[in-house]
Amino acid sequence: MPERLTEMLMDTWTPLIILWITVLPSIYMAPMNQSQVLPSGSSTGLKRLTEEQRVLNRSKRGWVWNQMFVLEEFSGPEPILVGRLHTDLDPGSSKIKYILSGDGAGTIFVINDKTGDIHAMKRLDREEKAEYTLTAQAVDRDTNQPLEPPSEFIIKVQDINDNAPEFVDGPYHATVPEMSVVGTFVTKVTATDADDPVYGNSAKLVYSILEGQPYFSIEPHTAIIKTALPNMDREAKEEYFVVIQAKDMGGHMGGLSGTTTVTITLTDVNDNPPKFAQSLYHFSVMEDVALGEPIGRVKANDLDIGENAKSSYDIIEGDGMDIFEITTDAQTQDGIIRVRKPLDFETKKSYTLKVEAANIHIDPRFISGGPFKDTATVKIVVEDADEPPVFSSPTYLLEVHENAAINSVIGQVTAHDPDVSSSPIRFSIDRHTDLERQFNINAEDGKITLATPLDRETNMWHNITIVATETRNYSQVSRVPVAIKVLDVNDNAPEFASEHEAYLCENGKPGQVIQIVSAVDKDDPKNGHYFLYSLLPEMVNNPNFTIKKNEDNTLSILAKHSGFSRQKQEVYLLPIIISDSGNPPMSSTSTLTIRVCGCSSDGIVQSCNVEAYVLPIGLSMGALIAILACIILLLVIVVLFVTLRRHKNEPLIIKDDEDVRENIIRYDDEGGGEEDTEAFDIATLQNPDGINGFLPRKDIKPDLQFMPRQGLAPVPNGVDVDEFINVRLHEADNDPTAPPYDSIQIYGYEGRGSAAGSLSSLESSTSDSDQNFDYLSEWGPRFKRLGELYSVGESDKET
């Protein structure tokens, strides 16, 4: 009781003592700290300083103060006194004026300008602002001149416990394995306090559990939650609701507190074995159940969950271990019993099995708790069912010769009814497997007979299906496959493997192998084929060819002599008899065609036709073809050359070929060459009245089309040609598609008033030999050179 009273007194007076210690020094001792401080060696203050000292030494302020403190959340009837400012220059008169500036000056903090007392006018919150920086200065009240330099000081807001702890991350969720030992870590919680953590105990937190005992505990200072009770079983209780409290002031009375919740879930461990719901199970099954079909389910329950509850089932004892099997259903964790082998009611009517369920995942920590397995007994009763007939063999293989007679028996199948009340069986052939109906079966005894002839060479195997049906219940049907192999008999004669055609060289030698032939036989004797070759009796003494049997069952054809000639005989036919070794033997006659050919010296066939003799000796058909090709190519080149020459000699201007009038060229004028003679269409001059158009030139291809001048009306015969020529000259000069010919052509018609007359030889009635050109020199220097040329020509002719 005394201890409890002492604790109560401490909780009551402790805050008051703290308030006394923290607040009163700031109120009453602050003025004491504002004592006057004078410079060293001075007793009369700043007034006695000499002028030299004011110049050489730094001036010191005459009053200082320490930090001031003000209690937060103070809400008295009067403003709270924070502190007092005082200077040694104040003689006590009212000539000193104190000025305050800085954070909150004039609003939060107010100074008495006469006494220097500073009061807090508002309620302060340290969590909003922890300290204020202000500047104080003493000035002369009359002149407002500063008496001291300004000085900064700090007013700190002193903390009180006005904030409760908070769990910002709550509520919490945690897990811990079941059956954990005491002291197993569960989780850690954290609370925060907005109060000053370095001043007092306002932010010193202590944690405790309000709800959740005695299962869990918490460290008071670290807030670590641990298990406090051993062997907590998830199967008994899985979830716990724990309330955690955080209290400031070190947990003492008067402190503020906050709470949060922690939901703790026990996780499962494999601490429980599987357990069958019953120790004995009964099942019944029909004997005709299909293999793999489930016939029953067993279940071993496990209080655990997830992987810890999974079990595997197995048959460990019983008389049906090879008949039945048990598997695990992954979804329901049931044990499914299935049939592995066919059941037979007539053979065994019941089975007894012992099945075991065992956990797959075992926790070694709890293995001492006992075996994590359980067993149960399963009894299975087989019920009788109407079963289909059963053949004496699952398959049948029969053999028959291909020459077997119709209706002959080739084999037999048997079947019986396995039921206690045996039913007669009827047999039939599934005609889908015997579309050609080659076989029949006796419905009573199952004997299979031949219905149509067989041919091994056409089909060696026949696969049919025999159907057995109970006469008392037609729904009970069984099927069995029957394979029938057709055995070979010697019923095919051998023949050449392919159509052979031999080639014999004219320059061949006696005894030379002409051809090697082989034979085939559709039959398949057991010891393989062996063929005999011979010539027809009338060909035994064949003067040209002979045969030779080879060891590889082939035949070689040889020539008896040389000197075969295509002109004498081009083709020889050699009949050959081929016999097999069957019983009885079969034979056939095949004819070999031998063609006489011309060959090279090394025996290579070149030609087998008689027409080849018309070729020169040593000249092959390929060479003759090459020569003919060269001749044809030369002819084509000549034709092309002649065509090009004819095309080149065509006149450049389209004109009448019947006109043979010549162009007379003036040689005293520089011309443009041979093309100047083609400058104008002479056909126009022949009939100037009938042409008013323009003829295309063949020597150039104009870039743009020149349209001749229109409007020239036909003129009657006998008009002046000078005007016609001038017009044509003007058109030629302005034609952009015509070359720039620079010569003027003088035609046979000289025009009216010409003293020389016509110079055309076409109009002359005499020949060149009768003409005398000496008169040309009399026409002047322009015709003198022309006369000399013609005179020289005449003298040359005479010479």
Side-chain angles (χ1 to χ4, degrees):
M1 185 66 183
E3 295 177 356
R4 179 62 179 168
L5 180 60
T6 303
E7 183 179 358
M8 293 176 62
L9 291 175
M10 289 295 295
D11 292 341
T12 303
W13 288 99
T14 297
L16 298 178
I17 295 172
I18 293 173
L19 180 64
W20 175 266
I21 294 173
T22 58
V23 175
L24 292 183
S26 65
I27 298 175
Y28 293 103
M29 295 184 68
M32 295 177 63
N33 292 335
Q34 301 166 8
S35 62
Q36 181 179 358
V37 179
L38 299 177
S40 175
S42 176
S43 60
T44 60
L46 295 175
K47 295 180 181 179
R48 297 182 181 182
L49 291 174
T50 63
E51 186 69 17
E52 183 180 357
Q53 287 175 326
R54 284 196 297 267
V55 174
L56 298 177
N57 297 327
R58 180 175 62 86
S59 177
K60 293 185 178 181
R61 62 184 174 84
W63 47 277
V64 295
W65 52 86
N66 294 330
Q67 294 179 348
M68 294 184 182
F69 297 90
V70 59
L71 194 66
E72 72 168 332
E73 303 293 346
F74 184 82
S75 59
E78 298 293 334
I80 182 173
L81 177 65
V82 178
R84 175 177 294 176
L85 303 180
H86 186 71
T87 178
D88 57 354
L89 298 179
D90 188 0
S93 62
S94 59
K95 293 184 177 181
I96 302 299
K97 180 181 179 180
Y98 295 98
I99 300 175
L100 186 67
S101 61
D103 293 343
T107 56
I108 300 176
F109 303 102
V110 177
I111 188 170
N112 188 325
D113 60 352
K114 294 181 179 181
T115 63
D117 294 338
I118 300 174
H119 290 83
M121 307 302 293
K122 294 182 179 181
R123 184 175 181 176
L124 302 179
D125 188 357
R126 188 198 68 84
E127 286 70 40
E128 292 183 1
K129 191 172 179 64
E131 61 181 33
Y132 298 86
T133 302
L134 298 108
T135 302
Q137 190 174 24
V139 300
D140 187 271
R141 182 177 295 276
D142 297 332
T143 63
N144 284 332
Q145 294 295 324
L147 301 177
E148 293 286 346
S151 179
E152 287 187 354
F153 66 97
I154 297 174
I155 297 178
K156 287 192 174 182
V157 181
Q158 206 163 23
D159 182 56
I160 64 172
N161 188 20
D162 59 342
N163 291 279
E166 294 182 357
F167 292 91
V168 294
D169 297 329
Y172 297 87
H173 295 271
T175 60
V176 64
E178 64 171 332
M179 310 302 291
S180 297
V181 298
V182 175
T184 301
F185 174 84
V186 179
T187 188
K188 180 180 179 180
V189 297
T190 303
T192 58
D193 196 317
D195 294 324
D196 192 352
V198 298
Y199 182 79
N201 295 327
S202 298
K204 185 177 181 181
L205 304 181
V206 175
Y207 298 90
S208 61
I209 293 182
L210 300 182
E211 296 182 19
Q213 296 175 336
Y215 305 104
F216 301 96
S217 64
I218 188 170
E219 292 287 341
H221 301 290
T222 61
I224 295 176
I225 302 175
K226 299 179 180 179
T227 58
L229 193 67
N231 300 326
M232 287 188 290
D233 191 2
R234 185 199 66 82
E235 288 73 30
K237 185 176 182 179
E238 183 176 7
E239 191 173 82
Y240 295 85
F241 190 76
V242 181
V243 178
I244 305 296
Q245 181 190 62
K247 190 174 184 180
D248 59 12
M249 298 300 293
H252 295 291
M253 184 178 294
L256 303 178
S257 62
T259 60
T260 187
T261 60
V262 182
T263 302
I264 301 174
T265 304
L266 299 181
T267 58
D268 185 63
V269 297
N270 191 13
D271 58 340
N272 295 281
K275 186 70 175 177
F276 281 105
Q278 57 194 70
S279 59
L280 179 63
Y281 292 86
H282 292 274
F283 300 105
S284 60
V285 57
M286 300 295 294
E287 63 172 334
D288 59 350
V289 64
L291 298 183
E293 281 292 318
I295 63 173
R297 289 174 175 257
V298 296
K299 179 66 178 291
N301 298 313
D302 196 323
L303 298 178
D304 297 322
I305 59 175
E307 295 291 327
N308 298 320
K310 290 185 177 181
S311 300
S312 62
Y313 296 88
D314 195 13
I315 299 175
I316 58 176
E317 292 180 10
D319 53 359
M321 296 181 61
D322 58 338
I323 305 297
F324 303 94
E325 64 179 0
I326 187 170
T327 58
T328 304
D329 189 331
Q331 300 296 328
T332 63
Q333 291 297 307
D334 292 346
I336 304 175
I337 301 175
R338 304 176 186 272
V339 179
R340 293 179 58 187
K341 294 182 179 180
L343 301 176
D344 187 5
F345 171 80
E346 289 74 23
T347 304
K348 190 172 179 61
K349 296 178 175 58
S350 65
Y351 297 89
T352 301
L353 306 174
K354 187 175 183 180
V355 297
E356 179 185 75
N359 279 148
I360 299 176
H361 305 284
I362 298 177
D363 195 333
R365 295 177 298 173
F366 308 102
I367 196 170
S368 60
F372 286 82
K373 59 181 66 176
D374 193 20
T375 59
T377 302
V378 178
K379 287 191 175 182
I380 302 173
V381 177
V382 181
E383 297 181 0
D384 188 24
D386 190 4
E387 299 175 84
V390 177
F391 284 95
S392 59
S393 175
T395 59
Y396 291 89
L397 175 62
L398 306 178
E399 292 182 348
V400 57
H401 286 88
E402 60 178 328
N403 60 351
I406 302 299
N407 296 326
S408 60
V409 177
I410 61 176
Q412 184 179 11
V413 297
T414 58
H416 69 282
D417 184 3
D419 298 324
V420 176
S421 57
S422 180
S423 171
I425 306 298
R426 291 187 63 83
F427 299 96
S428 62
I429 297 178
D430 185 353
R431 291 304 176 183
H432 291 92
T433 61
D434 185 24
L435 297 176
E436 297 180 358
R437 295 182 175 270
Q438 292 184 288
F439 306 97
N440 291 324
I441 188 170
N442 189 302
E444 305 297 333
D445 55 13
K447 291 182 179 180
I448 301 173
T449 57
L450 186 62
T452 61
L454 300 176
D455 185 5
R456 190 201 67 86
E457 287 72 35
T458 303
N459 196 349
M460 184 176 177
W461 287 92
H462 297 271
N463 297 300
I464 62 174
T465 299
I466 303 300
V467 181
T469 306
E470 291 185 7
T471 57
R472 296 177 183 174
N473 186 358
Y474 291 106
S475 62
Q476 297 300 323
V477 177
S478 295
R479 297 171 178 270
V480 67
V482 177
I484 302 174
K485 182 180 181 182
V486 182
L487 301 179
D488 182 54
V489 296
N490 192 23
D491 57 347
N492 291 278
E495 57 187 8
F496 280 157
S498 61
E499 293 294 333
H500 295 285
E501 187 175 27
Y503 297 95
L504 174 63
C505 292
E506 290 180 313
N507 56 356
K509 299 179 181 180
Q512 182 179 358
V513 176
I514 300 173
Q515 182 71 38
I516 297 178
V517 296
S518 59
V520 294
D521 194 332
K522 294 181 180 179
D523 295 324
D524 188 16
K526 295 180 179 179
N527 298 326
H529 291 290
Y530 181 80
F531 300 116
L532 298 176
Y533 301 92
S534 63
L535 297 175
L536 291 177
E538 59 270 18
M539 298 290 292
V540 172
N541 297 322
N542 190 308
N544 299 315
F545 307 101
T546 184
I547 60 175
K548 177 184 177 182
K549 175 67 183 299
N550 300 320
E551 295 181 357
D552 59 354
N553 220 16
T554 60
L555 179 68
S556 297
I557 311 299
L558 294 83
K560 282 188 174 183
H561 60 84
S562 60
F564 290 91
S565 175
R566 282 176 286 175
Q567 290 182 334
K568 182 177 179 181
Q569 186 172 348
E570 182 182 3
V571 177
Y572 293 90
L573 300 178
L574 184 63
I576 300 175
I577 300 175
I578 309 174
S579 302
D580 59 19
S581 56
N583 186 18
M586 301 289 291
S587 63
S588 66
T589 302
S590 299
T591 302
L592 177 65
T593 301
I594 302 175
R595 189 177 298 277
V596 181
C597 302
C599 303
S600 61
S601 58
D602 52 358
I604 299 176
V605 176
Q606 293 182 339
S607 176
C608 297
N609 298 324
V610 178
E611 290 78 1
Y613 279 99
V614 301
L615 299 177
I617 298 177
L619 189 61
S620 63
M621 181 63 70
L624 180 60
I625 293 174
I627 293 173
L628 292 176
C630 292
I631 293 173
I632 293 173
L633 181 60
L634 290 175
L635 292 175
V636 171
I637 293 174
V638 170
V639 171
L640 290 176
F641 180 76
V642 172
T643 304
L644 291 176
R645 289 294 300 271
R646 293 182 61 186
H647 180 72
K648 185 175 181 182
N649 292 333
E650 289 182 1
L652 298 178
I653 301 178
I654 301 174
K655 62 182 180 178
D656 190 358
D657 293 335
E658 295 180 358
D659 187 6
V660 293
R661 182 177 298 182
E662 296 180 351
N663 293 335
I664 306 301
I665 302 175
R666 291 180 60 182
Y667 287 92
D668 60 339
D669 188 11
E670 289 188 24
E674 293 181 359
E675 289 185 355
D676 284 347
T677 60
E678 305 287 346
F680 298 99
D681 187 3
I682 195 171
T684 304
L685 296 178
Q686 292 177 354
N687 187 9
D689 300 334
I691 299 179
N692 193 25
F694 126 89
L695 297 176
R697 294 177 58 88
K698 298 175 65 177
D699 58 337
I700 61 172
K701 182 178 181 181
D703 296 330
L704 55 93
Q705 185 67 35
F706 172 72
M707 298 302 294
R709 187 171 62 90
Q710 302 294 329
L712 288 179
V715 294
N717 294 334
V719 297
D720 191 0
V721 185
D722 294 339
E723 183 181 358
F724 175 80
I725 294 176
N726 291 331
V727 172
R728 288 293 184 261
L729 285 174
H730 178 74
E731 290 179 355
D733 292 338
N734 295 319
D735 186 3
T737 63
Y741 303 113
D742 56 357
S743 64
I744 297 178
Q745 314 235 353
I746 299 175
Y747 294 88
Y749 189 81
E750 297 294 332
R752 289 177 295 184
S754 176
S758 176
L759 297 178
S760 175
S761 61
L762 299 177
E763 297 178 358
S764 178
S765 59
T766 61
S767 62
D768 293 342
S769 60
D770 299 334
Q771 294 184 13
N772 186 6
F773 299 97
D774 294 336
Y775 65 92
L776 292 175
S777 60
E778 298 176 358
W779 288 2
R782 293 186 177 182
F783 297 91
K784 183 178 180 180
R785 180 57 180 166
L786 183 61
E788 292 176 357
L789 291 174
Y790 274 80
S791 299
V792 172
E794 293 296 324
S795 61
D796 291 339
K797 290 180 180 179
E798 294 175 357
T799 303

